[in-house]
Structure formats: structure tokens, C-alpha cells
Amino acid sequence: MHHILADNWVNVQYNGTWGLLSLVWWVLVIIGGWKMLVKADRPGWGIIIPFYNTYLLCKVAGRPGWWLILFFIPIVNIIIWIIVAFGIAENFGHGAGYGILIWLFAPIMFLVLGFGGDTYKGVKA
């Protein structure tokens, strides 16, 4: 029986097919997130800066920036991401269904928000 050991996980994660899928995932996040942030009058380059990107997403969702700290708490971070996803959807003029899609498929939905005809309706917090 073959088991993946912890020290071997890095090789599995970043080589071959998984490495390519991971790269595609992050490229989609950067391209879509950049365009979405620009539409929300935020610096697009912020999507590539760790922690600052989460801060910016909180602001786009109309939530306080200190919510970034809540993303470090297990289980709470899932609930906060759902709330932020719903806030982003609301501030771009969409409902709860769109928020669920942002929560589940952020890279694709960031592309849709960034390149689509949506306009940012939220207040600049």
C-alpha cells in the first residue's frame, strides 16, 4: 500500500498535473481578482500581495479591514469567507446565489465580475 508522507506532499502538490492545475488556479485568481479590484476602485496589484489581498476583499465586501484577523481562526475563517463572498456579490448588485458561487468558485467568479458588465455599487470603505 502506498501512502503519501508529509515530506513527500510538496513533491506531489507542485509537480505534474497538480502543479499545473495549481498554477492555472492562481493565474485565474490574479487576473480575475485584479480586474475585479480595479472595478471596485481598489489597487488591482493588491491581489498579488499576501494578506493585503484578503484585506482588500473585505473592503470590497463592505466589511472592516480588521476582519483579516478572523481569517486566521479555524472554522471562523470559513464563515467569514462566506460573509465576505456574499458582501462582494451584494456590492456588485447580485444576490445570495451569486455569493455562493463566489464562495465556491472564486477564481471563475472573479473573472466574471472583472470582465463582465457588472459595476461596483458598494460604498468605498
Side-chain angles (χ1 to χ4, degrees):
M1 181 181 284
H2 180 68
H3 296 282
I4 298 174
L5 301 174
D7 61 341
N8 221 5
W9 179 245
V10 173
N11 291 332
V12 171
Q13 182 67 28
Y14 295 107
N15 289 327
T17 304
W18 286 112
L20 181 62
L21 290 174
S22 180
L23 179 66
V24 168
W25 178 270
W26 289 112
V27 166
L28 292 177
V29 167
I30 290 168
I31 293 170
W34 192 303
K35 291 289 288 180
M36 182 193 66
L37 287 174
V38 167
K39 274 190 175 181
D41 294 326
R42 309 286 179 194
W45 54 264
I47 199 70
I48 62 174
I49 309 297
F51 307 115
Y52 184 55
N53 55 14
T54 307
Y55 170 83
L56 288 174
L57 291 176
C58 288
K59 294 308 234 174
V60 169
R63 304 299 178 186
W66 66 264
W67 273 30
L68 169 67
I69 297 166
L70 298 175
F71 278 91
F72 291 100
I73 304 171
I75 308 301
V76 173
N77 59 4
I78 296 169
I79 296 164
I80 294 301
W81 174 231
I82 292 169
I83 294 169
V84 167
F86 277 59
I88 292 170
E90 182 182 345
N91 286 334
F92 275 95
H94 296 285
Y98 214 86
I100 292 170
L101 289 174
I102 292 172
W103 176 57
L104 294 174
F105 307 108
I108 296 164
M109 298 312 293
F110 287 175
L111 285 167
V112 170
L113 288 173
F115 288 96
D118 301 305
T119 56
Y120 184 67
K121 297 169 178 38
V123 295
K124 192 170 184 180

